[in-house]
């Protein structure tokens, strides 16, 4: 076949495929248009997971009758005036692609009335071709009805998942959009059944309640806002008790746009690393604002990713905001217990530690101990890791807390890591490792942290350096190094421990501030209370 230009209808359909790949994409585009139009109330109704019908109605400013047909032409937009605007996008839409793409793959009816028009207009499009607009009576705003999506595209229609999974995807997208706009009231129905409803109260926590339920909303704490010229961080996070089995509760918003962003996702993971159990994820709404000129939205056909000019700054701000909020939430939670019992937290704590009696080790992995409240099973690796991390954080920068080696030792590292380490010798020194570059692939070590002196510090240094350097986005190198170092030098599951070692570990664990956190953080310890024991053995039965 010779080279020929595609017929315009075919070309339009191919282009549309990039923007509209499934029903939820239609919902996202229409809802974003409604938001850009300044709507206060947006309703979304779908039938058959959106395959048969999607209708989005808003009370925004509407489209002037004279521009209605133009809105469905490709690259027609009211949101960019000139080329320079592309570098400072303040609206969700900017390409002039969504409406023509939808009209290329479905039947579309639009009813709209602009604030300045005396009446509204109805325009119908079949196969992307508009009929003549008809005057209608209606209030200000726009209603777009999309029917028989992909009807002429059997291949794509076949790939639509079942009605409930497409409906679920629509609800997921809308949930995240709602979280970005607490001031707008959204109402979604799937096959006539109400799904997601938000009030538009302007309070983020109200939206969290609608999206994630009251139980999770009760465990959310507001992020202490960070406001700098380069970035503003707001939102709310769960305190470590409320977790989900997937990342679905993590919503990252950049300038009002729900995006997926690997580095920011990683910043959240990092902040929660010691606060949630492996395999559980926090609920987080991260509302980030950056100057429009600092963000590139034009990198993904569905605008679901953005590039940040000052990624490192944003990363660091997010991480410290989340960390600080978590720390405060934890401090308050622990304090709250003390008040409720009428006793100081420290007192409670001391009794707990003193009352502990080591009974033995299970599977060379867990320490089993008896305490005032019942039986404790302690994960020896997690416990030791936590103790070491607290010690490192505590002694950070204190020169006395290092042990000078009689003879400097050479530690080998990969050449590509050596360069990274050279940048961070300051951080290493603060941790207690006095290190100098030594050739292309080695470090000369003059001292090691005293707390690790008996834990094979040189091998640990080598493996920790490798681990941190392999991470692509370790913005807070020092903190990451401390975490990895603690993990690598802690006793492992499978290490046999003497009773004295176990006792020493439990006492140290008690002394660290996080000890009381077995119920909040990653479960370092599991308590089987006296009550539970009684219940198990039927002794509570009278
Ligand atoms: N619900 C609405 N209310 C008011 N105007 C609308 C609405 N939907 C679309 N428009 C108008 O139609 C134009 C075209 O919409 P379309 O979604 O195709 O493009 P866009 O939003 O400008 O860019 P993008 O393709 O990135 O979404 C918009 O620029 C806007 O002027
Ligand atoms: Mg749009």
């Amino acid at each position: 076949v010779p080279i020929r230009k595609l017929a315009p209808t075919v070309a339009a359909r191919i282009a549309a495929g990039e923007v509209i790949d499934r029903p939820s994409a239609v919902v996202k585009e229409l809802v974003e248009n409604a938001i850009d139009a300044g709507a206060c109330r947006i309703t979304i109704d779908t039938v058959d997971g959106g395959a048969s019908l999607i209708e989005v109605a808003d009370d925004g400013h509407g489209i002037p009758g004279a521009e209605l047909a133009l809105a469905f032409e490709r690259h027609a937009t009211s949101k960019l005036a000139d080329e320079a605007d592309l570098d400072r996008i303040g609206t969700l839409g900017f390409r002039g692609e969504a409406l023509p793409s939808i009209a290329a793959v479905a039947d579309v009816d639009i009813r709209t009335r602009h604030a300045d028009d005396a009446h509204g207009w109805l325009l119908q499009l079949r196969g992307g071709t508009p009929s003549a607009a008809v005057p209608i009576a209606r209030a200000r705003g726009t209603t777009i009805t999309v029917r028989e999506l992909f009807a002429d595209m059997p291949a794509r229609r076949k790939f639509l998942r079942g009605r409930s999974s497409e409906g679920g995807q629509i609800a997921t997208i809308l949930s995240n959009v709602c979280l970005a706009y607490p001031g707008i009231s959204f109402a979604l129905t799937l096959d006539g059944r109400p799904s997601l409803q938000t009030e538009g109260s302007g309070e983020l926590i109200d939206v969290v309640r609608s999206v994630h339920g009251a139980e999770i909303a009760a465990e959310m704490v507001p992020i202490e806002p960070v406001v700098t010229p380069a970035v503003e961080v707001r939102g709310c996070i769960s305190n470590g008790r409320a977790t989900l089995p997937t990342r679905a509760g993590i919503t990252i918003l950049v300038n009002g746009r729900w995006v997926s962003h690997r580095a920011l996702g990683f910043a959240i993971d990092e902040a929660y690393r010691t606060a949630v159990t492996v395999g559980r994820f926090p609920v987080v709404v991260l509302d980030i604002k950056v100057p429009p000129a600092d963000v590139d939205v034009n990198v993904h056909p569905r605008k679901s990713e953005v590039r940040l000019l000052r990624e490192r700054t944003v990363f660091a701000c997010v991480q410290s905001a989340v960390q600080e909020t978590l720390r405060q939430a934890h401090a308050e939670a622990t304090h709250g217990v003390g008040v409720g019992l009428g006793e100081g937290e420290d007192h409670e704590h001391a009794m707990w530690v003193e009352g502990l009696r080591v009974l033995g080790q299970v599977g060379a992995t867990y320490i089993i101990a008896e305490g005032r409240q019942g039986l404790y099973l302690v994960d020896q690796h997690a416990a030791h890791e936590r103790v070491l991390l607290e010690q490192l954080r505590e002694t950070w920068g204190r020169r006395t807390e290092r042990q000078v080696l009689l003879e400097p030792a050479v530690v080998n590292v990969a050449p590509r890591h050596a360069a990274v380490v050279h940048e961070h010798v300051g951080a290493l020194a603060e941790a207690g490792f006095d290190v100098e570059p030594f050739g292309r692939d080695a470090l000369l070590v003059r001292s090691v942290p005293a707390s690790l002196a008996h834990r094979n510090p040189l091998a640990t240094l080598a493996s920790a350096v490798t681990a941190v350097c392999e991470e692509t986005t370790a913005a807070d190198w020092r903190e990451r190094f401390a975490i990895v170092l603690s993990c690598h030098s802690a006793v492992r599951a499978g290490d046999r421990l003497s009773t004295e070692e176990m006792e020493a570990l439990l006492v140290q664990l008690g002394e660290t501030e996080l000890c009381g956190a077995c119920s909040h953080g990653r479960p370092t310890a599991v308590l089987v209370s006296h009550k539970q024991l009684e219940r198990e053995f039927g002794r509570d039965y009278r």
Side-chain angles (χ1 to χ4, degrees), residues 266-314:
F266 186 70
I268 296 171
D269 289 355
E270 285 294 278
Y272 272 93
R273 185 178 285 264
T274 49
V276 293
T277 318
V278 176
R280 303 289 302 180
F281 301 89
V283 179
V284 172
V285 182
L286 200 58
D287 186 8
I288 299 170
K289 297 262 178 342
V290 293
D294 281 7
V295 53
D296 187 358
V297 198
N298 200 12
V299 291
H300 187 276
R302 283 180 297 282
K303 299 183 272 195
S304 60
E305 283 167 26
V306 292
R307 246 186 245 138
L308 296 170
L309 187 65
R310 289 172 226 282
E311 182 173 305
R312 272 170 171 272
T313 313
V314 176

Side-chain angles (χ1 to χ4, degrees), residues 29 33-34 37 58 61-63 71 76-79 92-100 142 303:
E29 292 297 339
N33 280 346
D58 69 61
H61 58 56
I63 305 177
T77 178
S78 60
K79 301 171 191 178
L92 295 169
F94 55 88
R95 307 159 304 180
E97 293 264 16
L99 292 186
T142 304
K303 299 183 272 195

Side-chain angles (χ1 to χ4, degrees), residues 80 138 153 167 174 260 313 338:
L80 294 185
R138 70 154 286 152
M153 306 167 79
L174 197 68
S260 59
T313 313

Side-chain angles (χ1 to χ4, degrees), residues 238-512:
S238 64
N239 57 15
R241 265 194 301 262
T243 57
L244 298 176
T246 69
R247 288 176 192 280
I250 301 178
T251 302
I252 301 176
L253 308 167
V254 175
N255 290 0
R257 192 186 298 280
W258 173 45
V259 296
S260 59
H261 195 285
R262 273 195 58 176
L264 291 177
F266 186 70
I268 296 171
D269 289 355
E270 285 294 278
Y272 272 93
R273 185 178 285 264
T274 49
V276 293
T277 318
V278 176
R280 303 289 302 180
F281 301 89
V283 179
V284 172
V285 182
L286 200 58
D287 186 8
I288 299 170
K289 297 262 178 342
V290 293
D294 281 7
V295 53
D296 187 358
V297 198
N298 200 12
V299 291
H300 187 276
R302 283 180 297 282
K303 299 183 272 195
S304 60
E305 283 167 26
V306 292
R307 246 186 245 138
L308 296 170
L309 187 65
R310 289 172 226 282
E311 182 173 305
R312 272 170 171 272
T313 313
V314 176
F315 184 100
C317 274
V318 165
Q319 198 177 26
S320 69
V322 175
Q323 245 161 14
E324 182 55 19
T325 308
L326 264 180
R327 205 187 52 72
Q328 276 181 21
H330 177 70
E332 273 162 35
T334 337
H335 184 65
V337 173
V339 170
L341 292 164
E343 289 178 78
E345 181 210 338
D346 286 344
H347 182 55
E348 272 290 290
H349 206 165
M351 289 178 64
W352 190 87
V353 173
E354 278 165 23
L356 270 182
R357 186 163 66 95
V358 170
L359 301 176
Q361 199 184 13
V362 185
T365 299
Y366 306 102
I367 300 167
I368 180 163
E370 182 188 6
R372 217 163 34 82
Q373 302 179 45
L375 203 62
Y376 288 90
L377 286 162
V378 182
D379 179 322
Q380 65 192 40
H381 172 72
H384 195 207
E385 185 182 19
R386 182 160 284 188
V387 166
L388 291 174
L389 182 59
E390 286 309 315
Q391 281 176 351
L392 271 174
R393 282 177 175 155
E394 185 123 319
T395 59
W396 204 275
R398 279 195 236 148
R399 307 284 300 160
T400 46
E401 309 285 348
R402 71 209 162 110
Q403 196 173 92
V404 178
L405 302 178
L406 291 178
E407 272 184 42
V410 175
V411 166
N412 293 314
V413 291
R416 68 178 186 289
H417 296 159
V420 183
V421 175
H422 296 172
E423 269 178 53
H424 296 288
V425 284
L428 291 178
E430 282 187 283
F433 285 108
D434 280 316
V435 161
E436 288 164 30
F438 192 67
R440 286 178 56 246
D441 57 357
L443 306 167
L444 198 64
V445 185
R446 297 191 182 276
S447 76
V448 299
S451 58
L452 301 184
H454 304 295
R455 306 217 54 87
N456 205 357
L458 298 174
T460 309
L461 173 67
S463 63
V465 159
T466 306
V468 182
C469 290
E470 286 296 331
E471 288 175 7
T472 45
T473 24
D476 190 345
W477 208 90
R478 195 179 95 158
E479 173 71 5
R480 280 302 300 139
F481 180 72
I483 289 172
V484 173
L485 192 64
S486 320
C487 175
H488 285 227
S489 38
V491 296
R492 321 224 139 250
D495 289 351
R496 294 206 174 278
L497 304 179
S498 69
T499 306
E500 292 72 37
E501 285 174 312
M502 291 190 277
E503 277 170 356
L505 180 55
L506 292 188
V507 169
Q508 283 175 315
L509 183 66
E511 281 163 6
T512 64

